[in-house]
Structure formats: C-alpha cells, structure tokens
Amino acid sequence: MKIVRALTAILTLALLAGCYFIGDEGTATVGIELPEPGSESTTPGEDIPALTRIYVINGGSLVPVGDGTPYLELSSLNEAEERITEVSVGPVPAGSGYEIVVAFGNADDGTGVFVPVEYAMTSEPFAVTAGQTTTTPELERLPSPFVPVDRADTLGEDLLGVVFTGDGLFTATTGTVYAAPVSALNSAIDFADGGSPLPSDYTANSITLGAVRSVGATPWLNTDNGLLPYDPDYTGGPGGSGFFTEFDNRDEVPGYNPDERDWNVLDSGAFVFPTTSDPELTQYVGDVFGYFQFDGGLGGIWDDAGTRKWMNPADMQDLVTGQPILDLDVQLNGTVQAFIASKLGAFLMPQTLLTEQQTDDDPRSAAQRVLDESTFFEVTIDDVPVTITHVSIGSEADASLYLGTPRGALTIPTGEIESGEPIEGTFVDETESQAVVELTSTGDTVVVLTRHYVVYSTNGGLDYDREPLYASSVGEPSDMLVDPVSRVILISGSQGLVGINY
Amino acid sequence: MKKSAMLLGILLVLSAAVYAQTATVTEFSGKVEYRLGGGSWQAVDSGLELPLNATISTGFGATAVLSVAGSRIDVGQLTRLTIEELSESGSTVSTGVFVPVGRVRASVEERTDRSTDFRVRTAQSTAAVRGTEFETNGWELSVSEGIVEFANLAGQSRTVTATQVSVITDGGPSDPADELNNQADIGDEGGPDEFQNGPENTGYITVRWQ
C-alpha cells in the first residue's frame, strides 16, 4: 500500500505538471467567433464602436473614475457625431505608476456585456501631480487581439475555468458545463447549445482535468457534493446525462467517516497511467490516479479496474484553511523533483521522496514524511517575504523557477533553494504590482495572467509583451489554457471565454 | 420505345428541376480546412469545389472566399460554415448555408433571368436576400446594398435595406430606424477640462487617442 501511495504521489504530481497544457497532438489555432464589427456609423461605410471605456490602473488596482463603476464610459461620438478623441478623468490621487487602457466596443444586445473591438493603452507608467492635469501622448488605436469564444453560449457567463482533454474543450459555470468536441484547437469552437446543467444537488466550485477509467481524460467538476466527472458521450447519469454521479461512492472509503467530513471539493486532478515497459509498473497501466482537495485537506484516489480506492485523506484543518496545495510543477528530466506552493509555504520535494519507497518500519504518515524531508524556501521582494501562489519550472537552460505572488510574477534560481537563506526574487517584466491569477511556462514560452493583463514571452523570458484584458470581454479572469504550438491562449472569466493568438 | 422516351423525359425534367451545384473556393489565406459530412478535416486549395453538406472552417487570422452561382461569400476568421442547399431550377437559384460560429459577408448576384433565394442561417437567425450585399454574425445584420429579410427562430422578421442595421433581441429583429439611437444614449460625459476643486493631493488625467 505504501508503494501505491508513493506511486500516487509521483503520478499525481506529474499529472499536475501537465494540467494547463494541451498535448502536442497537432493543435494549431483556436476557433472563436469574430467580435461585433462595431456600431453603425453616421458616416456611410465607417464602423465606429458605440462605446468608449477608460480604465485607470495604479499599483495593480483600478482607480475609480466612473460614477459607481471602476471605469469611465462614454459615447464614442459627440453631439456633432464626430469621434471623441480626448477625455479628462479624475480627480485621482497624486503619485507615480499610472497606466491607462481605453477600450472601444459595443454592448452585446442579448447580455449587455461590453465587447471591445479596438483598444489603446499607455506604453509606460506616468505620474500625476497634485493640482495639475497630466496629458497622455496620443495613444495609438489598435484592433483588439482578443476574440470571444462561442459568444452565443459563453458571453456573459461566469466561467470557473477551461479544460482541454485532447478530444474536447470544456468550461463551466457553477451550474452548467459546456462541451465542444475538438481533437485539435484549429478551427472554430462551437459548444453544444445551452450546455448541460448539473444535477440539481450539485454546485460546482471549479473545473479541472481528471479522468475516468472507462473513458480516459475527462473534465472533473469539483462540487459541494463531491467529485463529478463529465463526459458528453456518457448516458448513465441522471436522466441519461453525462455526469458520473456515482463516482465518489462514500462506501468505498476505508477509515473515512463521511459524517465528520464535508465533501466540498475545491480542486482536483487525475490522469490515466500511461503505457510503460517497466515490468514493475505495467500492472498499473490504464488505472486512474488522482487527488482532490477540500477545506484543509487533501485526498487521493486509485481506480483499479473499476474498483475505486479512496486514500485516507490528509487532514490539515488545524494548520490551513481552503485548499492546502496552491500549485506545483514537477521536473522529470534528469533530476526528478517537485516544487510546491502550499498554504504552509513553498517547498521542494527531493527525488528521494518521489522515487524511493517508504520503508515498512517508518511510522510516519506519507504526509509527515513529505513535510520532514522537503526543503521549504522563502522568497522576498525588497527583503520582504512574499506569499507564493503559483510555481512553474523554467527552461532547463536557465535553471530558474517562475513564481506567482500577489505582488507580481518572479523568477528565482533553483540552485539557491537548498541554501536555506531567503531568496530575493526578480520581477517578470510587466508584472510588478500585479497579482498573479495563473502562470505557466514550457520550453521558451512563459505566460502570466494577472487581473489586468496577459503577459507572455516566446524567447524564454528575454522579452515580454502584454495585452490588457480590458481589450476583451472576459471580465475578471479565472483560468488560462495555453497551447504553445499554435500560440493560442484561452482565458475564462466572469463574463465568458476569450482567445488570443500571441 | 415510348416508355424509354417517357423515362428520358422524366429524367430531363428532374435534372432541370434540381441541378446540384458546388461552391468553389476561389481564395483563401491562413489555415482553412473542409470536411465532407462527418469525415476528417482536410486543407482547402484554390479551385476546390465543395458539394452539398460540406463544411469549411477557418482558423485564427484565416479567411476564405466562396463562389456559388455567381454570388460571393467572404468567410471570416474562426468561422464554421456548412453548405445546406445548392440548387438551380428553371426559375430559381437557391443557396443556403449554416454558420453556427463566426462571421460571413455575402454579395448576392441579382439576376434578371431567374430569382435568387440566398439564405444564411445561424443559431439565432436567418437572413434571406435578393440581389444584395450584407454581413452578419447571427445577432446583427448590416446591409450594404439591396434588401434583406432578417428573421429570428420564431419567424419574426423585418426587412432591412442598405445602410441599415438590425439586431436580434428578445422581441425579434429590431427596427433598423431605432438602432441608430439605441447605442447613442449611454455613459457619462468626460470630466472637466481643467482642474477644479478636486480634493487635496489629487490631479486629473487627460487621455488622448487617435
């Protein structure tokens, strides 16, 4: 059993390393709808978006400049039906670090969601002086690089995340899952109209990449009533639906008392054990290994030929609230090691933990062994410790680790982790003061999603570009999916799903 | 002999009544693919003739132009289009396409010898045209030239003429005469041009753009 637990730990960690990436199965481009062309114009042949919104950003926050809104909105045309090209906003606190994004678009007729078609933004932060008016240079107006994905189904929806299984793209709200059958993201994405409502006693918290032994990779809805896998081709769910409501059969949990626990699942992940030539591991081929997180706890699952074995959960409710593990990444080339961001701090799991079996005479639980033998490390910004919320291993060449924090994205040399000393982080360009929502790196591609921008590099971090999310209809971002082959990023948010070809 | 002649006559009548055409890919750029029915996706080529039930799909930044019975369909990026009808009888040229996602612009040839029945169906609407040019994404229709009948799934319809716009709302396609006003009455005006009576330690920003 300890062998299985160690194996589960290894494979679950390896699974999570691939959570945000599409496999290289020939994916090319994502298909999404065109934005509205702009409002009708009073000048024949000229389309001018009807609305203009101005966002003022400082220190990672929006500075309120509207009447009850965090942006200023006005008509794109003045009374003479000429395009407005200058507006004053304020008053705003004097200081440095101001940035401006202007979005031009139209309110969607069905949902009222503002859909930008053009945008402009300042290229450098500037300062505002008390008692004076600061004028920006003339900002270049550009077409929005973002496009809504299947706006008929997702525009205006508060989406929890986005998942790609290899043959389907999935997204979900708290009560509905949307599925589009695609084997490669190289054409228009068309979710099944209206989506599939969850069974009445389930409310989703998030959607992650999981697996079901009889199906393969499937999205897992993490709900207040346990794990809920979904497959559009499955008909054994309630009313012939594709929901695997029998998945978290509590009767199979050894030593677990469901009356004392709350099956409100916050996060999860799973994968199907791949084909291997290792004789010791062939017995696991086809089995599903996964994990799930609940408030203050972490559990595991091993689906062996249809018999689901639920591991005794690691209960850390006395130590943490919410999901204990925030993010992790596993290095499998050369030295095997895992970097983990957790509520208890960031730590490095050494190769010995991942590849060597726990001996039978070791009285410690698997979780205690991990805590004892891992190397916790502290990262600082200007000598002030910062909370690490995301981790992603950089390219093998530069031996660095990308970290997401509430104060921006950082890089640190992985070689300094085992020194035991605090490590001063270096900001990823364009992310200082921006709370990181998602972060991922693979090969030379690095993508950071913050509240206001998506920042990306295609040359291993030498140069970064950024695009403001206010040039899109996504709203507040919740999740990100990156395909470095087709150079497409999908972003889910409080107002739908958008894509960008970077 | 008479039966053969009769059979031949019947065949000739049927062929004249329904002459299956194809849509031809005359131009394309970027990643553009097609499939026949539920078959596998293949790359298009200039001159490719697409039969009934063929579907064309464009990727990011890709476009395609289809020619059918003298009319032109510009397929925008990230658009999926299925050919639902292609026929030419003695008096009517009929073309029908289904566009579940994306955007198309159609320039429909107005013929003097036959009537043209050109329909673009989306998940939200159907646009039926006669010798005109228009653009739609399913919710909004803008007409550049000619007359277009714009209908929702309940069959409520409006006639939209050149330079007009109609959008699908809960109550059906909107009155084009109202659309010019609907989106104009919104938002706040800009702030003061000069700093006036702001709180201490505050300033204003004048934003300028092209």
Side-chain angles (χ1 to χ4, degrees):
Chain A
M1 196 60 180
K2 287 186 178 179
I3 297 173
V4 172
R5 281 206 288 266
L7 185 61
T8 302
I10 296 169
L11 298 176
T12 306
L13 293 172
L15 153 78
L16 290 169
C19 263
Y20 299 111
F21 289 97
I22 302 167
D24 52 345
E25 297 178 356
T27 57
T29 59
V30 69
I32 43 183
E33 290 184 49
L34 291 174
E36 287 191 68
S39 73
E40 57 284 337
S41 167
T42 56
T43 303
E46 181 184 1
D47 291 331
I48 297 178
L51 301 175
T52 297
R53 279 190 180 179
I54 299 171
Y55 299 86
V56 179
I57 304 167
N58 190 294
S61 300
L62 280 175
V63 179
V65 291
D67 184 12
T69 61
Y71 50 82
L72 179 67
E73 182 176 280
L74 64 156
S75 171
S76 297
L77 302 175
N78 59 19
E79 289 185 355
E81 296 182 345
E82 299 163 330
R83 186 160 196 159
I84 294 172
T85 58
E86 181 176 307
V87 162
S88 289
V89 298
V92 298
S96 60
Y98 276 94
E99 297 180 292
I100 303 290
V101 175
V102 187
F104 310 94
N106 302 286
D108 177 72
D109 222 60
T111 62
V113 173
F114 176 65
V115 182
V117 294
E118 298 173 320
Y119 79 108
M121 74 175 184
T122 51
S123 58
E124 295 291 337
F126 61 93
V128 171
T129 303
Q132 296 183 16
T133 297
T134 303
T135 301
T136 71
E138 186 177 80
L139 306 180
E140 182 182 11
R141 186 160 41 87
L142 302 168
S144 169
F146 297 95
V147 186
V149 178
D150 191 3
R151 61 187 287 169
D153 282 304
T154 66
L155 187 65
E157 298 294 334
D158 188 357
L159 300 178
L160 303 173
V162 58
V163 168
F164 180 67
T165 61
D167 60 7
L169 186 72
F170 300 86
T171 186
T173 65
T174 56
T176 304
V177 62
Y178 298 91
V182 288
S183 58
L185 302 185
N186 61 353
S187 62
I189 301 293
D190 186 12
F191 291 109
D193 291 344
S196 298
L198 271 62
S200 58
D201 50 349
Y202 290 84
T203 299
N205 297 310
S206 61
I207 181 171
T208 48
L209 182 63
V212 174
R213 202 176 190 283
S214 58
V215 177
T218 64
W220 278 11
L221 295 159
N222 306 304
T223 79
D224 61 349
N225 201 11
L227 287 168
L228 186 63
Y230 175 78
D231 176 35
D233 296 327
Y234 177 66
T235 58
S241 69
F243 296 100
F244 291 81
T245 52
E246 83 290 2
F247 190 78
D248 58 342
N249 186 338
R250 302 177 186 187
D251 293 341
E252 294 181 359
V253 178
Y256 176 91
N257 187 343
D259 292 332
E260 296 179 4
R261 295 283 195 263
D262 180 2
W263 278 89
N264 184 30
V265 177
L266 304 174
D267 177 53
S268 68
F271 76 115
V272 179
F273 196 94
T275 303
T276 178
S277 57
D278 188 328
E280 289 191 10
L281 299 179
T282 54
Q283 61 181 308
Y284 303 114
V285 173
D287 291 355
V288 171
F289 292 91
Y291 78 99
F292 63 93
Q293 299 197 70
F294 50 93
D295 188 9
L298 179 68
I301 173 178
W302 173 28
D303 193 338
D304 172 14
T307 302
R308 298 189 185 96
K309 300 178 178 58
W310 296 91
M311 309 304 175
N312 285 330
D315 190 346
M316 293 174 273
Q317 290 182 341
D318 293 337
L319 299 174
V320 300
T321 59
Q323 60 187 66
I325 303 297
L326 301 174
D327 197 12
L328 77 158
D329 200 359
V330 179
Q331 178 174 294
L332 297 174
N333 297 324
T335 303
V336 178
Q337 51 189 2
F339 300 90
I340 297 173
S342 78
K343 290 285 186 73
L344 299 176
F347 59 93
L348 163 65
M349 282 181 65
Q351 179 167 316
T352 52
L353 269 175
L354 295 172
T355 59
E356 293 182 5
Q357 303 169 15
Q358 186 171 358
T359 59
D360 291 339
D361 58 359
D362 189 340
R364 297 175 298 175
S365 66
Q368 189 60 53
R369 179 173 173 239
V370 168
L371 293 176
D372 288 347
E373 298 185 22
S374 296
T375 302
F376 281 78
F377 58 95
E378 182 179 82
V379 178
T380 59
I381 297 175
D382 296 329
D383 296 322
V384 176
V386 64
T387 300
I388 297 170
T389 55
H390 301 81
V391 293
S392 189
I393 297 172
S395 67
E396 202 171 332
D398 61 15
S400 63
L401 194 65
Y402 288 88
L403 304 172
T405 79
R407 296 177 53 190
L410 308 172
T411 62
I412 62 170
T414 51
E416 292 188 20
I417 288 177
E418 296 193 80
S419 68
E421 298 295 322
I423 307 166
E424 182 71 12
T426 301
F427 276 114
V428 170
D429 288 348
E430 311 283 5
T431 69
E432 186 171 348
S433 302
Q434 308 283 326
V436 174
V437 176
E438 273 304 339
L439 176 152
T440 189
S441 69
T442 180
D444 289 332
T445 298
V446 181
V447 184
V448 181
L449 179 66
T450 73
R451 173 62 183 89
H452 307 295
Y453 301 96
V454 58
V455 179
Y456 56 89
S457 170
T458 57
N459 57 11
L462 291 177
D463 303 295
Y464 286 90
D465 289 312
R466 67 171 184 173
E467 298 290 354
L469 296 184
Y470 301 115
S472 78
S473 55
V474 74
E476 187 169 340
S478 59
D479 195 11
M480 174 174 73
L481 189 62
V482 178
D483 177 11
V485 175
S486 63
R487 296 181 57 154
V488 168
I489 302 169
L490 297 184
I491 301 172
S492 62
S494 60
Q495 294 186 159
L497 184 66
V498 299
I500 178 172
N501 196 196
Y502 64 93
Chain B
M1 188 68 176
K2 287 184 178 178
K3 287 185 179 177
S4 299
M6 187 182 301
L7 179 60
L8 181 60
I10 292 173
L11 289 174
L12 286 173
V13 168
L14 289 176
S15 65
V18 181
Y19 172 62
Q21 298 186 42
T22 57
T24 305
V25 178
T26 57
E27 300 172 35
F28 73 96
S29 68
K31 188 175 183 68
V32 182
E33 297 178 310
Y34 78 99
R35 68 177 178 184
L36 303 177
S40 58
W41 292 101
Q42 305 173 65
V44 303
D45 210 345
S46 285
L48 174 70
E49 294 190 350
L50 298 172
L52 191 65
N53 295 323
T55 298
I56 190 169
S57 177
T58 56
F60 225 116
T63 59
V65 178
L66 305 182
S67 172
V68 54
S71 296
R72 170 184 172 128
I73 304 175
D74 287 84
V75 183
Q77 67 169 335
L78 305 163
T79 299
R80 188 167 286 186
L81 178 150
T82 299
I83 301 170
E84 293 189 317
E85 182 176 8
L86 285 175
S87 64
E88 184 171 343
S89 70
S91 60
T92 303
V93 176
S94 299
T95 305
V97 297
F98 175 52
V99 181
V101 289
R103 191 167 192 91
V104 297
R105 170 180 284 271
S107 301
V108 183
E109 182 191 55
E110 185 171 11
R111 304 178 66 143
T112 56
D113 57 336
R114 278 173 285 186
S115 64
T116 301
D117 180 11
F118 191 105
R119 294 175 184 274
V120 176
R121 185 172 71 88
T122 71
Q124 299 77 33
S125 64
T126 298
V129 303
R130 313 182 198 90
T132 187
E133 183 166 334
F134 70 96
E135 185 166 335
T136 184
N137 65 358
W139 296 266
E140 180 179 290
L141 171 79
S142 67
V143 179
S144 305
E145 182 180 337
I147 301 171
V148 178
E149 183 181 87
F150 194 42
N152 64 6
L153 299 181
Q156 300 166 296
S157 66
R158 282 196 183 274
T159 299
V160 185
T161 60
T163 75
Q164 288 186 328
V165 172
S166 179
V167 294
I168 293 292
T169 66
D170 288 341
S174 62
D175 186 339
D178 292 336
E179 277 307 305
L180 288 175
N181 300 321
N182 281 351
Q183 295 183 13
D185 183 22
I186 38 75
D188 296 321
E189 295 301 323
D193 293 331
E194 299 177 355
F195 182 80
Q196 292 180 1
N197 301 322
E200 285 186 16
N201 205 33
T202 62
Y204 278 86
I205 303 170
T206 295
V207 186
R208 301 165 56 234
W209 58 86
Q210 293 177 336

